Structures are given as structure tokens and as C-alpha cells.
């Protein structure tokens, strides 16, 4: 009995440490990666695996079924909700142009070649102009495309 | 995902039955213990939720094939662990990450439920993330980490198609499996395909 | 056992600190959303580690709440930013993609050198 207990404890501790290490890589990736999409890969993916490992480890250590059911529920919620939020954020990130195109190998989703300087990111200074027509003319004049009148 | 008008209540409730069962299960798991009081209150709460916040019914429904389901799950867990380790290694190693890519893949299934399962499993597996799903053209756009050359892109595209096949074989109707066989993944989505 | 405590909490703590760094410097709103999401999940993981190591099941309900809160928070912010999307061409499509902010900074650094 006690040997089984010890083996279970060792397994649980190993799982907990592995999960904690994956959470560390999530934070590390957040800081090291170059743009929002790659940061999301780092932030949300090792997380899922890490949280699953930690839940299994905690479920082994905890006695009583009540806590085990709740941990199972957390794991299921995590697996159901993480893709949804990742998808929503990544779609917004793509359409708000947070993608570093110089780091992309190929972009097959790109629709148009035209780029404009009016609508940029979601910084406060990047808010859409109140009068798009006049702002467009001004930005072209800054670029030297248009002769000043 | 089309918002159809709500059908008559009996029909409506029959379609909501799996959702009701799931809600009761979650309620009981949240309480942590099983008792008649939890069961009855769970049924009441689930009925309230489904009547107050109705969802469009899932068209077609699912058939589960145990063998194919096990194969799908095993592949999924292996993918989760192996590419989880790969992404973790890429964050830790000194050189950082390779270049990434956004690819589009032409899918063969045309069912809301199957596409949902496919995108969920694709996004959960590290290294690939679904950005956009063009429902009319059945194309899916993914952002993938770890791309060095064109062969990597083709490999990832084949992996997506294989994943789709496993999902359809596990959950799809006979018609959908037949359409999978009749239209093998010929890779219609070429490079630089323009989605309208 | 003490070593395990320090190791696990150390790993989680450094991860949370790094997420906080990204939360602070992250140039765009979305970076901060991703960082907050990661931070909340690391907190949930820390609670689970505490529950597992101390055999203390009282924090488990908190765990459920925190993990759901992370989801609701990031989805609502993503929807909020999505509502700010502009379609300037009038046919419902976005205009083309200009450079991302980080790319602009990287280009200017290249030019300076």
C-alpha cells in the first residue's frame, strides 16, 4: 500500500513540475516571440498541455471524488474554451494588421496588395480618422504622391 | 451557423436534449457530489438556461464510431504532447523560432459540427492555429509555427487533411465519409490563393 | 518535499513575471490580452499546484472560477476590438495590410544601423 502511495506521489510531483515548466515556457515565449500570432502560440498552447498535466497531478494527490470531478471539469473547460479565445484573438490580430509580414514565409490569406497608412493598429493614435477622405489626401501628400494645391 | 427561426417547442426540445444532459452533468460535477437534490435542481437550471438562451440546433447530428474515435483521440493526444514539446523547445532554445506562415487548406466536409470539431482540435494542437474559416468555400486558414521551406508547408497541409479525415471517420455520417473517398485531397488550394 | 515546493512555485513565478513583462511593454492591446490570459491560467495552475502539494481541496472551486474568467475576459476584449474594425473600401472588406507596429520599429532599427 505504502509503495503504491509513494509511486503515485512521485508521479504526481513529476506531473506538477512538468506542468509548471510548461507554464514557464509560456511566459518565456510571450516575451521572446516577435508578433501577436506567434506569441499566442507560445502563450496559449503550452498552457493547455501544462494545465492538463497539473490537473492530473493534483487529482492524483487529492483524495475525495468531489475535487477530482471539479478538476476534470476545469480541464474540459480549458480544452473547450482555449481554441475559441485563441481563434477570436488571432482573427482580430490578422485583420488589425498585427502580423509581422517580414517574418512570414508565405501568406495565402492575403487579399489585396494595396496597403494604406490611414488604418493601422489599435493604438490610441491609430484610431480611424474622423474624415477619411481628407485624411487620405493628407497622407498621400505626406508621401509625396500628390502635388500640394 | 445560420440563425433559423425557432421551430415548435417539442421539436426544439428534442434537438436540445444532448445540451440538457450536458448541462445537468456539469451542474452535478460542479457540486461534486451526486444526489437527487442536485439532479433535480440541475434539470431545472438546465431547462431555464435552454429556454431563456436558445441555441440554433445542430443540423444532422453526430454518429460516433468507437474505433475511429479511439484512433482520433490517440492521434490527438500524441500530437498534443509531441508538438507541445516542440513548441516548448523552440521557446527555450537560444536561436528562437523559425519563420512562420499562413496557409489556406481546401477542406472536403460541409458540416458545421465536423468543422467545429476539426478547428477545435487543430487549434488545440500546438504549432497550428486557425485564423479564418470560409464557410462557403470550405477553406480554412491557419497560422503555423516552424516553417523553413515549401515542403514544410505541404507537409502541414497534408497533416490538416489527415486530421480532417480522422474527424470525419469518427463523427461523420456515411454520406460524408463517401464524399471523403470520392474527392481525395487533391490540394486545390494553391499558393497565393485569393479568398474573396 | 520542500525542494519540490520551491521548484514548482519558482517556475510558475518566473512564468508569471515574464507574462507581466509582456503585459507592461506589449505594444498593442492584443498583446496585453494574450498576456492577461496567460497570467490568469498561470494563477490557476498555481492554485492547482497548491491544492495538489498541500492536499487542500478548498481552493478547487476558485480554480473553476479563475479558468472561466480568463476565457470570458479575453473573448469580450477580442469582441470589443473586433467591433472597432473598419472597412474603408465600402464593400465590406478590409483594406490591405500595412506593416505591423513591430515591423516598422524593426525596419527603422535596420535603417539606423
Amino acid at each position: 500500500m505504502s509503495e503504491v502511495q509513494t509511486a503515485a506521489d512521485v508521479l504526481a510531483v513529476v506531473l506538477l513540475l512538468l506542468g509548471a515548466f510548461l507554464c514557464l515556457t509560456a511566459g518565456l515565449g510571450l516575451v521572446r516571440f516577435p508578433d501577436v500570432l506567434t506569441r499566442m502560440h507560445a502563450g496559449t498552447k503550452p498552457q493547455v498541455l501544462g494545465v492538463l498535466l497539473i490537473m492530473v497531478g493534483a487529482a492524483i494527490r487529492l483524495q475525495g471524488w468531489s475535487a477530482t470531478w471539479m478538476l476534470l471539469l476545469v480541464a474540459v473547460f480549458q480544452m473547450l474554451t482555449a481554441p475559441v479565445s485563441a481563434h477570436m484573438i488571432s482573427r482580430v490580430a490578422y485583420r488589425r494588421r498585427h502580423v509581422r509580414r517580414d517574418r512570414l514565409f508565405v501568406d495565402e490569406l492575403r487579399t489585396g496588395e494595396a496597403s494604406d497608412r490611414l488604418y493601422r493598429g489599435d493604438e490610441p493614435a491609430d484610431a480611424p480618422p474622423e474624415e477619411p477622405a481628407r485624411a487620405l489626401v493628407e497622407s498621400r501628400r505626406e508621401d509625396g504622391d500628390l502635388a500640394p494645391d | 451557423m445560420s440563425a433559423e427561426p425557432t421551430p415548435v417547442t417539442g421539436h426544439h426540445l428534442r434537438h436540445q436534449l444532448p445540451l440538457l444532459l450536458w448541462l445537468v452533468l456539469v451542474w452535478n460535477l460542479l457540486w461534486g457530489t451526486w444526489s437527487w437534490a442536485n439532479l433535480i435542481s440541475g434539470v431545472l437550471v438546465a431547462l431555464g438556461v435552454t429556454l431563456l438562451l436558445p441555441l440554433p440546433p445542430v443540423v444532422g447530428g453526430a454518429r460516433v464510431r468507437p474505433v475511429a474515435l479511439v484512433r482520433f483521440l490517440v492521434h490527438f493526444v500524441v500530437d498534443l504532447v509531441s508538438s507541445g514539446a516542440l513548441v516548448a523547445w523552440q521557446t527555450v532554445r537560444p536561436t528562437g523560432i523559425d519563420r512562420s506562415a499562413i496557409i489556406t487548406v481546401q477542406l472536403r466536409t460541409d458540416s458545421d459540427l465536423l468543422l467545429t470539431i476539426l478547428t477545435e482540435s487543430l487549434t488545440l494542437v500546438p504549432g497550428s492555429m486557425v485564423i479564418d474559416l470560409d464557410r462557403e468555400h470550405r477553406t480554412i486558414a491557419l497560422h503555423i509555427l516552424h516553417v523553413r521551406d515549401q515542403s514544410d508547408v505541404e507537409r502541414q497541409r497534408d497533416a490538416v487533411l489527415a486530421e480532417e479525415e480522422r474527424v470525419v471517420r469518427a463523427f461523420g455520417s456515411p454520406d460524408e465519409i463517401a464524399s471523403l473517398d470520392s474527392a481525395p485531397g487533391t490540394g486545390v488550394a494553391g499558393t497565393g490563393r485569393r479568398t474573396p | 518535499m520542500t525542494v519540490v515546493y520551491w521548484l514548482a512555485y519558482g517556475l510558475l513565478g518566473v512564468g508569471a513575471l515574464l507574462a507581466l513583462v509582456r503585459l507592461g511593454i506589449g505594444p498593442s492591446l492584443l498583446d496585453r490580452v494574450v498576456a492577461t490570459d496567460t497570467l490568469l491560467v498561470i494563477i490557476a495552475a498555481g492554485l492547482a499546484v497548491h491544492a495538489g502539494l498541500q492536499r487542500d481541496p478548498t481552493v478547487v472551486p476558485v480554480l473553476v472560477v479563475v479558468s472561466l474568467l480568463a476565457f470570458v475576459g479575453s473573448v469580450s476584449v477580442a469582441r470589443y476590438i473586433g467591433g472597432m474594425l473598419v472597412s474603408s473600401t465600402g464593400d465590406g472588406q478590409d483594406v490591405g495590410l500595412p506593416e505591423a507596429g513591430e515591423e516598422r520599429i524593426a525596419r527603422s532599427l535596420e535603417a539606423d544601423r
Side-chain angles (χ1 to χ4, degrees), chain C residues 18-110:
Chain C
L18 290 171
L20 273 178
V21 167
R22 180 47 74 192
L23 189 64
I25 64 174
S28 74
L29 203 51
L30 285 170
D31 287 307
R32 298 199 166 97
V33 174
V34 176
T36 317
D37 195 23
T38 311
L39 190 63
L40 273 174
V41 174
I42 290 179
I43 289 173
L47 286 175
V49 167
H50 170 79
L53 290 181
Q54 300 275 8
R55 293 188 194 275
D56 173 18
T58 44
V59 294
V60 174
V62 184
L63 203 64
V64 180
V65 174
V66 169
S67 72
L68 283 184
L69 210 59
F71 169 68
V72 173
S74 56
V75 163
S76 49
V77 177
R79 278 193 71 91
Y80 166 68
I81 302 175
M84 285 162 40
L85 274 180
V86 285
S87 54
S88 67
T89 47
D91 56 357
Q93 280 191 16
D94 279 5
V95 284
L97 298 162
E99 296 166 334
E102 291 99 336
E103 191 172 340
R104 254 181 286 154
I105 296 167
R107 286 253 166 84
S108 66
L109 283 180
E110 286 277 306

Side-chain angles (χ1 to χ4, degrees), chain B residues 14-93:
Chain B
R14 194 165 55 79
H15 273 291
Q16 303 281 3
L17 200 59
L19 184 63
L20 273 175
L21 287 179
W22 163 246
L23 285 174
V24 174
L25 181 69
V26 167
W27 181 261
N28 276 285
L29 288 183
L30 275 177
W31 280 101
T33 51
W34 193 92
S35 71
W36 285 105
N38 278 347
L39 188 67
I40 293 167
S41 57
V43 168
L44 288 181
V45 169
L47 275 177
V49 168
T50 44
L51 289 182
L52 286 179
L53 310 163
L55 285 173
V58 175
V59 186
R63 293 149 207 75
V64 177
R65 290 178 189 73
V67 178
L69 178 66
V70 167
R71 217 175 57 182
F72 164 69
L73 286 179
V74 168
H75 260 281
F76 177 70
V77 171
V78 169
D79 270 358
L80 198 64
V81 173
S82 67
S83 39
L86 183 67
V87 172
W89 164 240
Q90 283 175 342
T91 49
V92 180
R93 70 179 178 189

Side-chain angles (χ1 to χ4, degrees), chain A:
Chain A
M1 178 59 204
S2 72
E3 279 181 10
V4 174
Q5 197 68 39
T6 320
D9 274 359
V10 168
L11 179 66
V13 164
V14 167
L15 287 177
L16 288 177
L17 284 181
L18 260 181
F21 175 71
L22 283 176
C23 285
L24 171 68
T25 65
L28 199 62
L30 270 184
V31 174
R32 285 190 66 191
F33 282 3
D35 69 351
V36 176
L37 286 180
T38 46
R39 275 177 207 142
M40 294 199 51
H41 277 288
T44 57
K45 302 314 172 50
Q47 222 182 52
V48 173
L49 189 57
V51 166
L52 285 184
L53 290 178
I54 287 183
M55 293 305 153
V56 174
I60 292 176
R61 286 275 299 176
L62 283 175
Q63 278 120 4
W65 286 105
S66 156
T68 310
W69 290 131
M70 249 182 255
L71 288 176
L72 178 74
L73 205 59
V74 172
V76 170
F77 277 155
Q78 187 71 29
M79 295 188 70
L80 283 181
T81 57
V84 178
S85 63
H87 167 68
M88 289 191 71
I89 293 176
S90 62
R91 197 182 55 171
V92 171
Y94 185 82
R95 299 185 66 189
R96 292 298 289 191
R97 300 91 190 233
H98 284 297
V99 184
R100 278 195 61 172
R101 314 191 58 82
D102 55 340
R103 297 297 290 266
L104 278 185
F105 177 71
V106 59
D107 180 4
E108 297 177 355
L109 186 63
R110 188 177 191 180
T111 48
E113 295 301 318
S115 72
D116 70 342
R117 301 172 57 241
L118 286 186
Y119 304 95
R120 289 200 246 252
D122 52 14
E123 300 292 309
D126 295 341
E130 288 181 2
E131 297 175 61
R134 213 189 64 200
L136 184 66
V137 170
E138 278 175 6
S139 94
R140 286 202 178 135
R141 189 174 299 153
E142 278 173 27
D143 290 348
D145 292 348
L146 223 69
D149 49 10

Side-chain angles (χ1 to χ4, degrees), chain B residues 108-185:
Chain B
R108 292 157 289 179
T109 50
D110 193 20
S111 143
D112 285 337
L113 181 69
L114 293 181
L115 285 176
T116 310
I117 297 174
L118 177 65
T119 46
E120 284 249 339
S121 58
L122 280 178
T123 309
L124 267 180
V125 167
S128 65
M129 187 164 59
V130 176
I131 293 181
D132 215 341
L133 178 65
D134 191 338
R135 193 64 185 76
E136 286 174 15
H137 299 81
R138 302 186 204 172
T139 54
I140 191 171
L142 301 115
H143 181 257
I144 50 179
L145 215 58
H146 186 69
V147 169
R148 266 165 311 188
D149 46 20
Q150 193 65 35
S151 68
D152 273 343
V153 172
E154 297 304 327
R155 206 166 40 77
Q156 291 276 358
R157 192 170 284 152
D158 289 344
V160 171
L161 288 175
E163 180 81 22
E164 183 204 6
E165 182 170 344
R166 282 195 292 274
V167 169
V168 173
R169 286 200 192 285
F171 299 103
S173 63
D175 286 351
E176 282 152 354
I177 295 182
S179 77
L180 202 66
D181 290 333
S182 66

